[in-house]
Amino acid sequence: MKRMSIALVLIGSAAFAREPDPATVQCTDRRVDRPEHVIAACTNLIGSNGLDQKARAAAHFNRGNAYQRTGQSRLALADFDEAIRLDPKMSDAFRRRADVRTFANINAAGASADYDEAIRLNPRDAIAFGNRAMEQSFRQRRSHK
């Protein structure tokens, strides 16, 4: 449900258009199979002046997801950072940033705090609970090496 609301924020924020422009659709539609299309569309939206702060955060979030799907973890991390800066209540952005930190082992020490914040913002996020448990297991394994 939350993912749909992120898409709707972007669509509702399109610059006074009756129908969303193609970039908005490409950036928000979860059915788009090619992450490079999502990256390009979200980049176009982010560069436009027609988005409010929440919609810009959603575009960064969606582009970060696409970057993560293509293995570009550092770019994904930067987009999740920006999404959180623009919308500090976006629990999914905290969870996804923690996922990148955990699974790509980039600044892994911050992952636990991100999972905690995602859970504080959305206590029903079962994925955050599960991924936090995996992160703790990874951290223990890394410390034993």
Side-chain angles (χ1 to χ4, degrees), residues 72-141:
Q72 299 179 74
S73 299
R74 293 195 184 280
L75 293 173
L77 190 61
D79 268 338
F80 295 137
D81 287 343
E82 186 63 8
I84 290 166
R85 187 189 72 76
L86 293 166
D87 184 0
K89 293 184 179 181
M90 186 185 287
S91 65
D92 286 345
F94 280 99
R95 179 173 43 82
R96 299 296 286 164
R97 183 170 76 176
D99 291 346
V100 171
R101 289 176 169 180
T102 298
F103 301 115
N105 198 20
I106 300 172
N107 189 15
S112 183
D114 279 348
Y115 283 127
D116 289 345
E117 184 63 9
I119 291 166
R120 187 188 72 76
L121 291 168
N122 181 7
R124 293 180 158 182
D125 188 346
I127 295 170
F129 279 102
N131 288 1
R132 182 176 66 176
M134 279 193 289
E135 181 271 331
Q136 291 167 348
S137 175
F138 288 168
R139 191 169 5 114
Q140 288 174 351
R141 282 189 221 150

Side-chain angles (χ1 to χ4, degrees), residues 2-144:
K2 187 160 224 144
R3 289 187 180 147
M4 181 168 289
S5 65
I6 291 170
L8 292 176
V9 168
L10 273 176
I11 291 171
S13 299
F16 306 109
R18 290 181 189 253
E19 291 185 27
D21 67 310
T24 302
V25 172
Q26 286 283 312
C27 182
T28 60
D29 190 345
R30 298 275 181 215
R31 296 171 295 178
V32 175
D33 290 333
R34 301 186 69 188
E36 61 273 12
H37 291 177
V38 175
I39 291 167
C42 292
T43 298
N44 286 337
L45 280 176
I46 290 165
S48 74
N49 292 324
L51 298 179
D52 63 24
Q53 192 165 328
K54 279 194 177 280
R56 191 169 302 284
H60 277 284
F61 175 79
N62 291 336
R63 188 174 70 176
N65 285 327
Y67 278 137
Q68 190 171 13
R69 285 180 55 201
T70 63
Q72 299 179 74
S73 299
R74 293 195 184 280
L75 293 173
L77 190 61
D79 268 338
F80 295 137
D81 287 343
E82 186 63 8
I84 290 166
R85 187 189 72 76
L86 293 166
D87 184 0
K89 293 184 179 181
M90 186 185 287
S91 65
D92 286 345
F94 280 99
R95 179 173 43 82
R96 299 296 286 164
R97 183 170 76 176
D99 291 346
V100 171
R101 289 176 169 180
T102 298
F103 301 115
N105 198 20
I106 300 172
N107 189 15
S112 183
D114 279 348
Y115 283 127
D116 289 345
E117 184 63 9
I119 291 166
R120 187 188 72 76
L121 291 168
N122 181 7
R124 293 180 158 182
D125 188 346
I127 295 170
F129 279 102
N131 288 1
R132 182 176 66 176
M134 279 193 289
E135 181 271 331
Q136 291 167 348
S137 175
F138 288 168
R139 191 169 5 114
Q140 288 174 351
R141 282 189 221 150
R142 287 180 192 130
S143 69
H144 287 35

